[in-house]
Amino acid sequence: MLAFVFSYIFFLYKYVLHLITGRTELGDVLTGKHTEMMNRKVASLITTNKEYSGLCGKSRDKNTNEVVHHLSLDFDNLRDENKVTDVLNDGKLTTQQLSNLRLSIQQLINVNFSINTLSKLRQETFSYENVQHVKLLDEQWRLLKPDVHRGERVTEKWQEVGYQGKDPTTDFRGMGVLALKNLVHFADNETKTARDILEESHDVDHWYPFSVAGINFTSEIFNLLVTSESEVLELFSGIYTKVFKQFHEQWKEEGCTVMQFNEKKNSFFSLFK
Amino acid sequence: MGLLTLLRKLKRSDKEARLLILGLDNSGKTSCLRKLADEDISQTTPTQGFNIKTVMSSGFKLNVWDIGGQKAIRPYWQNYFESTDGLVYVIDSSDQKRLQETSVELNQLLEEEKLSGVPIMVLANKQDLLNALSAKQIAEELGLHSIRDRTWQIQACSAKTGEGLQQGMEWLVNTLG
């Protein structure tokens, strides 16, 4: 583990030297213009480096982000970015350059860390032997159906909160505890809305299983985050376009004037936070 | 209709088939289908409604309809029976508690008029799990041997490893062809 961290640091070090001597992109990175470029460069180098791609057990160019987040399993010790940049700095970088480099590395680590955290939760299979898991499931029931006694663990009643059958745990499948945490979060933070939606999801003609729907949303959102490098711009632009259209709709509906732009923009985007 | 169009149409219908995948919730219908289409199955979620995929098998273009298996969705199954060429019925071989339930559903399907004579492939899925019953045991439990009005077959498989899936599809395609 430690050996890996050091070899990784050494690899970064070599990479930066290579950039200093031969490339112009580093200029952008170090002047802070494209901190994101550094992330990409490091990430793509990792995937095209035989040694590292072998380590990941992944094909080289298939999915950079995925490879990087696999690598991030070993990144926890790298959270101290000062250590990294100290090793990287060969006395050739100015303070400003160094701080930009630090920012880049920190961003890379943060992204890896976030995806990694979600990924771990997704892969955590629900178990009745895990007290925390059981607590979460009980919590969801309590929040959504405070007046109804659920009784046994395996019961038809689970369908009342929109699971498929008697045992909700088989429904979590590929999304694991992450899906359950999302369901509890919704019920906990917006209890009334969640209860209303649950109620409406039982409509005779327009019903759908509430919790199973939530599990599917977890899957869609998770896959938006963990996407390949080639798709990421496409995805971002797609969201951008939808946001643009949606914003305009709201603008028309409310009959806003240009002086309200910032106020409307802020309240619009606060919906996503 | 011109002769050429007619020929084309005949040719296409020769090589195309519509399959329906049914079974209880959590039996692995979507995973089987995804595996056949060479897709990742580690992130499968419960099916709300249905999925459609086209997969190739032995030169056949199979249009596969995978319908959700939860009890409340089963009444919708009948809306998809029309012009089905082959039925794939998936069973979780490790879930002995629900064998009775899946047997009841299967027998109801066999009695459906719109599905009469349609060949059926029963997939004894999840063979990778230690407590899975064998295909033979499942055939006995479900009384498959009493099926007389159509060709049928049971195939042990695992959507996880992919084992048995191709064989299952090939049998179905050969039966249709």
Side-chain angles (χ1 to χ4, degrees):
Chain A
M1 170 72 194
L2 204 61
F4 167 71
V5 172
F6 281 120
S7 71
Y8 180 71
I9 292 171
F10 182 64
F11 165 70
L12 273 180
Y13 172 69
K14 280 198 300 190
Y15 168 61
V16 168
L17 274 188
H18 169 69
L19 281 181
I20 290 170
T21 51
R23 300 281 186 85
T24 53
E25 284 119 331
L26 186 68
D28 286 338
V29 171
L30 295 180
T31 51
K33 271 186 202 152
H34 295 290
T35 47
E36 172 244 17
M37 186 184 284
M38 180 71 187
N39 297 346
R40 289 236 185 154
K41 276 283 158 192
V42 172
S44 74
L45 264 160
I46 291 168
T47 49
T48 48
N49 183 299
K50 262 188 198 161
E51 197 183 326
Y52 290 95
S53 62
L55 188 90
C56 303
K58 290 272 161 186
S59 68
R60 291 183 187 187
D61 50 3
K62 195 182 163 200
N63 191 331
T64 306
N65 281 348
E66 203 177 308
V67 172
V68 172
H69 100 250
H70 274 278
L71 269 172
S72 66
L73 295 172
D74 285 320
F75 265 146
D76 291 354
N77 284 353
L78 260 177
R79 301 274 298 159
D80 182 3
E81 97 274 19
N82 285 326
K83 250 189 229 162
V84 181
T85 42
D86 283 348
V87 179
L88 282 171
N89 190 13
D90 200 20
K92 287 180 180 165
L93 303 179
T94 66
T95 321
Q96 183 57 44
Q97 287 173 332
L98 197 58
S99 99
N100 288 335
L101 186 57
R102 272 196 189 136
L103 189 66
S104 280
I105 291 171
Q106 190 55 53
Q107 279 179 354
L108 181 66
I109 292 168
N110 285 349
V111 169
N112 291 334
F113 190 75
S114 312
I115 295 177
N116 192 21
T117 305
L118 293 173
S119 196
K120 272 185 192 157
L121 278 174
R122 180 182 77 74
Q123 287 164 11
E124 194 174 322
T125 309
F126 185 96
S127 158
Y128 279 118
E129 271 144 45
N130 185 317
V131 186
Q132 295 299 325
H133 292 177
V134 175
K135 224 169 126 187
L136 278 168
L137 198 53
D138 289 345
E139 183 82 347
Q140 191 204 5
W141 180 275
R142 193 185 59 75
L143 286 162
L144 291 173
K145 292 265 170 192
D147 307 324
V148 184
H149 178 65
R150 196 197 71 216
E152 304 154 63
R153 241 174 211 180
V154 175
T155 162
E156 295 279 358
K157 284 191 180 150
W158 282 116
Q159 291 165 34
E160 291 175 29
V161 288
Y163 287 103
Q164 290 197 100
K166 293 180 193 169
D167 183 0
T169 62
T170 58
D171 288 342
F172 296 129
R173 292 180 210 170
M175 287 298 125
V177 176
L178 179 63
L180 178 56
K181 288 213 166 181
N182 288 165
L183 285 165
V184 173
H185 181 96
F186 183 23
D188 195 15
N189 286 270
E190 304 213 22
T191 311
K192 185 172 181 310
T193 314
R195 283 180 194 165
D196 289 350
I197 292 180
L198 175 62
E199 175 77 34
E200 287 170 25
S201 74
H202 286 306
D203 184 279
V204 180
D205 295 320
H206 307 288
W207 70 272
Y208 64 88
F210 177 88
S211 292
V212 172
I215 294 164
N216 277 284
F217 298 152
T218 298
S219 165
E220 294 299 326
I221 298 167
F222 180 83
N223 286 318
L224 286 181
L225 289 175
V226 185
T227 187
S228 69
E229 194 178 359
S230 57
E231 288 164 358
V232 77
L233 182 62
E234 189 64 24
L235 173 75
F236 192 95
S237 306
I239 295 173
Y240 164 88
T241 311
K242 289 195 179 81
V243 164
F244 209 132
K245 278 157 51 181
Q246 191 71 39
F247 179 83
H248 181 71
E249 279 308 305
Q250 197 174 318
W251 183 266
K252 271 201 311 194
E253 221 166 82
E254 295 178 13
C256 302
T257 71
V258 70
M259 298 317 285
Q260 289 171 288
F261 187 86
N262 268 341
E263 181 198 335
K264 289 295 161 193
K265 183 198 74 182
N266 291 340
S267 68
F268 184 76
F269 280 92
S270 70
L271 288 175
F272 300 107
K273 286 171 189 164
Chain B
M1 193 187 291
L3 183 62
L4 200 63
T5 344
L6 184 70
L7 282 174
R8 272 204 199 114
K9 199 171 177 225
L10 280 175
K11 193 165 180 251
R12 195 173 60 231
S13 61
D14 264 359
K15 287 285 181 187
E16 258 186 62
R18 178 188 153 106
L19 300 187
L20 196 55
I21 302 192
L22 299 174
L24 301 186
D25 50 287
N26 200 41
S27 56
K29 297 176 291 298
T30 307
S31 293
C32 284
L33 183 53
R34 283 194 176 175
K35 194 70 184 182
L36 279 167
D38 224 5
E39 291 173 15
D40 176 29
I41 61 152
S42 71
Q43 295 189 19
T44 308
T45 53
T47 304
Q48 304 238 51
F50 61 90
N51 301 302
I52 314 172
K53 266 190 210 311
T54 303
V55 292
M56 297 298 294
S57 179
S58 317
F60 252 78
K61 187 175 159 199
L62 303 174
N63 300 311
V64 193
W65 294 64
D66 155 35
I67 325 282
Q70 82 171 93
K71 204 171 181 183
I73 287 186
R74 288 176 217 158
Y76 291 89
W77 283 0
Q78 53 173 323
N79 302 346
Y80 300 85
F81 291 164
E82 203 84 52
S83 56
T84 292
D85 298 309
L87 183 62
V88 179
Y89 193 79
V90 186
I91 290 168
D92 177 351
S93 312
S94 71
D95 193 353
Q96 299 189 31
K97 274 182 281 176
R98 297 183 77 190
L99 267 184
Q100 180 60 28
E101 188 184 353
T102 197
S103 175
V104 169
E105 290 296 340
L106 177 60
N107 281 316
Q108 278 176 10
L109 286 174
L110 294 174
E111 280 164 23
E112 288 288 345
E113 206 176 310
K114 280 180 182 166
L115 290 176
S116 68
V118 170
I120 178 167
M121 158 53 63
V122 178
L123 289 177
N125 191 27
K126 307 203 188 181
Q127 290 296 324
D128 53 288
L129 296 177
L130 281 175
N131 57 342
L133 292 180
S134 71
K136 194 165 170 263
Q137 283 169 307
I138 286 185
E140 276 164 24
E141 292 277 345
L142 265 54
L144 295 182
H145 296 279
S146 63
I147 301 177
R148 302 262 179 262
D149 59 345
R150 70 189 75 216
T151 45
W152 65 272
Q153 181 68 269
I154 185 162
Q155 170 72 49
C157 76
S158 160
K160 205 167 191 174
T161 64
E163 216 178 323
L165 286 178
Q166 284 298 348
Q167 287 99 306
M169 285 304 117
E170 274 160 27
W171 176 86
L172 204 48
V173 166
N174 288 337
T175 310
L176 299 175

